[in-house]
Amino acid sequence: MILTASHLLRELRWVPPAVIIIGSMTPFLNQWVIIRVLTLPLPSRVYQRLEERLYSNYQAVVGFFYEIWSGVEFCFYGDHIPDNPENTLYLSNHQCSVDWVLPEVLCVKQGGYGGRAKYILKDALRFLPLYGWYLGMRGGIFVKRNKTRDQESMIRGLKNFVEKDMPVWLVIFPEGTRYDMRESGSLKRAKSQEYATAAGLPPLQHILMPRTTGFNLALEQVRGHFQAVYDLTIYYEGYGCATAEGGRTRGPPPDLFGFYSGQCSKVHVHVRRVPIEDIPTTPEEQKAWMYDAFLKKDKLISSLLETGSFPAPRFTHTLPLSQCLLPLVLLALSVGVALSHRYGRRWMLATVMIFTAITLISGFKSRLRT
């Protein structure tokens, strides 16, 4: 009976983060409205800094559940991420929804500014309730596989970072889609390997061939705005099974609910910090650099599957409780108070409906413009 109760509690560990993270979006968006209204007559930089701090506090709460509540062990390898904030291009392999959380939390750790993370996003995410419109409003760049229009959109977004002097981690998942270990992803994996073979390159086994458009444009348009490229390789341990030879087989990574419920025991993160001066200047050289970076990722994952760790010095990079405790308490209290009273529940429902409508209208207007 005790074991059953313990297992049930573990399986339901996702409930508190789901309630607080999703529920707190309504008080968060109402706070954003207040900041936006009060800063209208002030210089845009005042709004930018306040909004960044507000979003950083929200991401600190997400980081608490991601690192502390989940009980997952985080193993970092390679180069240390500097403590001082810097502008960077963030590259990573892409496997699941949990990948989106890591750069936000790393931003919080680097000086407490999680609000610096900006994304190059699939156009369909414009319609994500609450989040889609907000991510676009705060600098996210949406693309939809139309080369000419996508380049125009990216150039506008990139130049906006410079014109407004935005501190930024520009997050790019160069594969363009998730690497899917399931049968449904076999066609993507096969096409990626066929493309590599046709180009005379070694096919990648554990990741997909990278696309370089966003990376090339960022370097072409605003290279001087960045200090470095952070090249991360991520592997989720928990689904993999030991083999007779002592190695591991790779299974599908967890979704967010599975992550909080114990389906992932470790996250292995290899970090490579490359100064922007060391990145090639021509598109062809950058393409070759990107492929070489992904070939290294492929070899890193192969090594981990054989040995259980990446072949690099390991270090800890924890999220201080002091950075997330106060935002967590305030957001949890705001959600609790709202849910405990019928007017609070109506207020939350009204906020969701209003901002969902704004998201849909904004998404359709953007579609019409393009």
Side-chain angles (χ1 to χ4, degrees), residues 25-179:
M25 275 302 291
T26 51
F28 171 85
L29 288 170
N30 280 272
Q31 291 175 58
W32 173 83
V33 170
I34 293 171
I35 289 174
R36 176 72 278 192
V37 171
L38 292 179
T39 57
L40 281 175
L42 302 175
S44 61
R45 180 168 298 198
V46 176
Y47 161 73
Q48 182 183 317
R49 294 294 182 260
L50 288 174
E51 188 277 334
E52 185 178 273
R53 174 53 65 186
L54 177 66
Y55 190 69
S56 294
N57 288 338
Y58 180 74
Q59 290 305 327
V61 174
V62 173
F64 168 82
F65 288 112
Y66 179 70
E67 283 202 8
I68 299 171
W69 175 270
S70 69
V72 174
E73 180 182 356
F74 286 82
C75 309
F76 287 88
Y77 307 79
D79 298 332
H80 287 257
I81 293 176
D83 293 330
N84 295 325
E86 60 180 350
N87 294 336
T88 184
L89 284 165
Y90 173 104
L91 308 176
S92 173
N93 58 316
H94 190 24
Q95 305 160 81
C96 62
S97 54
V98 185
D99 297 336
W100 295 96
V101 183
L102 184 59
E104 305 274 9
V105 178
L106 290 177
C107 270
V108 172
K109 293 177 183 179
Q110 192 184 63
Y113 289 94
R116 288 172 294 146
K118 318 290 183 184
Y119 297 91
I120 294 180
L121 304 158
K122 290 181 180 179
D123 188 70
L125 291 175
R126 288 183 190 275
F127 298 96
L128 188 67
L130 300 180
Y131 293 91
W133 164 80
Y134 182 71
L135 289 173
M137 183 275 304
R138 67 182 316 274
I141 301 171
F142 292 99
V143 296
K144 56 180 181 181
R145 307 287 170 83
N146 180 317
K147 188 173 182 179
T148 301
R149 297 288 175 81
D150 285 350
Q151 288 191 4
E152 292 172 355
S153 175
M154 280 190 272
I155 289 170
R156 285 196 303 271
L158 291 165
K159 289 185 174 179
N160 189 47
F161 298 149
V162 178
E163 290 167 2
K164 294 185 178 179
D165 192 26
M166 287 187 185
V168 61
W169 279 31
L170 182 60
V171 179
I172 305 174
F173 296 112
E175 291 160 290
T177 188
R178 297 177 185 180
Y179 180 85

Side-chain angles (χ1 to χ4, degrees), residues 304-339:
L304 185 142
L305 289 170
E306 292 175 3
T307 65
S309 65
F310 287 131
R314 180 172 165 179
F315 63 93
T316 57
H317 190 53
T318 56
L319 176 67
L321 187 61
S322 59
Q323 284 190 333
C324 51
L325 190 57
L326 181 59
L328 172 66
V329 170
L330 293 176
L331 280 181
L333 283 174
S334 66
V335 174
V337 170
L339 290 176

Side-chain angles (χ1 to χ4, degrees), residues 220-257:
E220 176 188 327
Q221 297 294 324
V222 292
R223 184 187 184 101
H225 194 61
F226 300 104
Q227 282 83 54
V229 171
Y230 292 176
D231 178 25
L232 272 68
T233 305
I234 305 170
Y235 181 86
Y236 300 95
E237 183 177 327
Y239 277 97
C241 302
T243 65
E245 294 77 19
R248 290 165 172 77
T249 57
R250 186 181 181 189
D255 58 21
L256 276 172
F257 290 157

Side-chain angles (χ1 to χ4, degrees), residues 2-18 69-70 239 255-264:
I2 294 175
L3 288 175
T4 302
S6 175
H7 176 74
L8 180 62
L9 287 173
R10 186 173 183 83
E11 288 295 310
L12 294 177
R13 282 174 67 90
W14 62 268
V15 175
W69 175 270
S70 69
Y239 277 97
D255 58 21
L256 276 172
F257 290 157
F259 186 84
Y260 292 128
S261 300
Q263 293 177 350
C264 178

